[in-house]
Amino acid sequence: MCCKLTYKHYEDILMKAMAHDYEICGCMAHISKRKTKKRIVMRHDVDKYPIRAYDIAKIEHDNKVYSTFFFRVFSDEYNIFGYETMAIIRDIEKMGHEIGYHAEPVDVSAAHADVSAEQAFTMGKKALELLLMHGIQGAASHREATGNNNLYQFFGKKELKELGLVYEAYDESKLSLFTHSTYITDGYEWRWRIFENGILTNDERCLCQLLEDDREGIYCLTHPHSWYGSHLHRVNY
């Protein structure tokens, strides 16, 4: 039986991870901190419903856990400069979490013939930096059901230094986690996917069960819009 993606269960996962002596940190912290034997690098891609990203951030903060939240800029789902969303992003950072850029430059370029992918990336990065009032260090490619692949078609052809970044979420230079650890994601909403050293497995266990294996390195991606209080379709419930 699948575990439900409730806030209560997410907090249970954090508590279980710490009980199993895991250090939990965000992407940039993983790069800059001394390596520990057992570590979970926690990342959240905010595709929609920023308020749920805030809820997840608050749960982590209350448990002294700090992770990375990647926000989109080109999205019909939310506006980063909307009054509430702007406050949410800045408040998440004030809690101690890292904010990164969830980038989709190939899609933007495909939708706007007069905007190149390079221009779209720079435009979005500068907009998020303007909101935060400082530079950002990391990005994660976003993927829509368009057939475009921002990771391979854009990031795979660029140097991080050229983009003004320290890391991209799947890069092999700085972060180097996807192909060198156990990668787990809730990307199918009600079931998890687990990759071993970059290869998809048939293992669909929840992160709470994966923790029992006591693996040394876990790279976890969640999508906050898939998590909820009491019902998936009630945002504040």
Side-chain angles (χ1 to χ4, degrees), residues 50-62:
I51 186 59
R52 291 188 175 176
Y54 178 89
D55 293 339
I56 292 292
K58 185 67 165 57
I59 291 169
E60 291 180 339
H61 176 265
D62 289 347

Side-chain angles (χ1 to χ4, degrees), residues 22-211:
Y22 278 100
E23 175 195 25
I24 306 172
C25 69
C27 296
M28 192 61 208
H30 172 72
I31 294 170
S32 60
K33 294 174 67 173
R34 178 184 298 177
K35 301 296 186 294
T36 56
K37 184 176 181 181
K38 294 174 64 177
R39 175 178 288 177
I40 299 173
V41 179
M42 189 68 73
R43 157 190 162 202
H44 310 284
D45 287 0
V46 188
D47 292 349
K48 55 185 178 180
Y49 301 162
I51 186 59
R52 291 188 175 176
Y54 178 89
D55 293 339
I56 292 292
K58 185 67 165 57
I59 291 169
E60 291 180 339
H61 176 265
D62 289 347
N63 287 280
K64 294 181 173 56
V65 169
Y66 305 98
S67 62
T68 302
F69 290 80
F70 292 101
F71 282 89
R72 299 170 67 188
V73 174
F74 301 100
S75 167
D76 288 333
E77 303 290 344
Y78 60 87
N79 169 20
I80 64 168
F81 288 104
Y83 285 100
E84 194 63 26
T85 303
M86 180 174 175
I88 285 170
I89 296 172
R90 291 168 63 85
D91 284 348
I92 288 175
E93 184 175 63
K94 289 174 184 175
M95 289 182 202
H97 303 291
E98 177 192 9
I99 302 297
Y101 176 24
H102 203 22
E104 47 199 304
V106 177
D107 283 305
V108 175
S109 180
H112 302 277
D114 60 340
V115 178
S116 69
E118 291 77 9
Q119 290 170 327
F121 175 84
T122 300
M123 194 186 308
K125 180 172 180 285
K126 286 184 176 179
L128 187 57
E129 290 176 334
L130 180 63
L131 184 152
L132 295 170
M133 294 190 286
H134 63 73
I136 60 171
Q137 297 176 301
S141 61
H142 175 66
R143 189 163 188 175
E144 288 282 345
T146 59
N148 298 317
N149 191 312
N150 294 286
L151 178 60
Y152 297 122
Q153 293 174 249
F154 183 77
F155 287 105
K157 299 178 179 180
K158 301 290 181 181
E159 295 291 332
L160 292 174
K161 187 175 181 180
E162 176 186 357
L163 299 174
L165 296 172
V166 173
Y167 72 89
E168 194 281 327
Y170 296 100
D171 83 79
E172 293 299 311
S173 57
K174 290 288 187 179
L175 203 59
S176 191
L177 282 170
F178 182 67
T179 58
H180 293 86
S181 65
T182 297
Y183 174 80
I184 180 169
T185 174
D186 64 359
Y188 279 175
E189 296 182 345
W190 53 269
R191 67 182 169 92
W192 296 79
R193 289 184 296 167
I194 297 175
F195 295 72
E196 291 293 352
N197 300 317
I199 306 298
L200 179 63
T201 72
N202 293 321
D203 193 347
E204 295 182 357
R205 288 178 296 163
C206 174
L207 177 56
C208 72
Q209 297 166 306
L210 184 67
L211 292 171

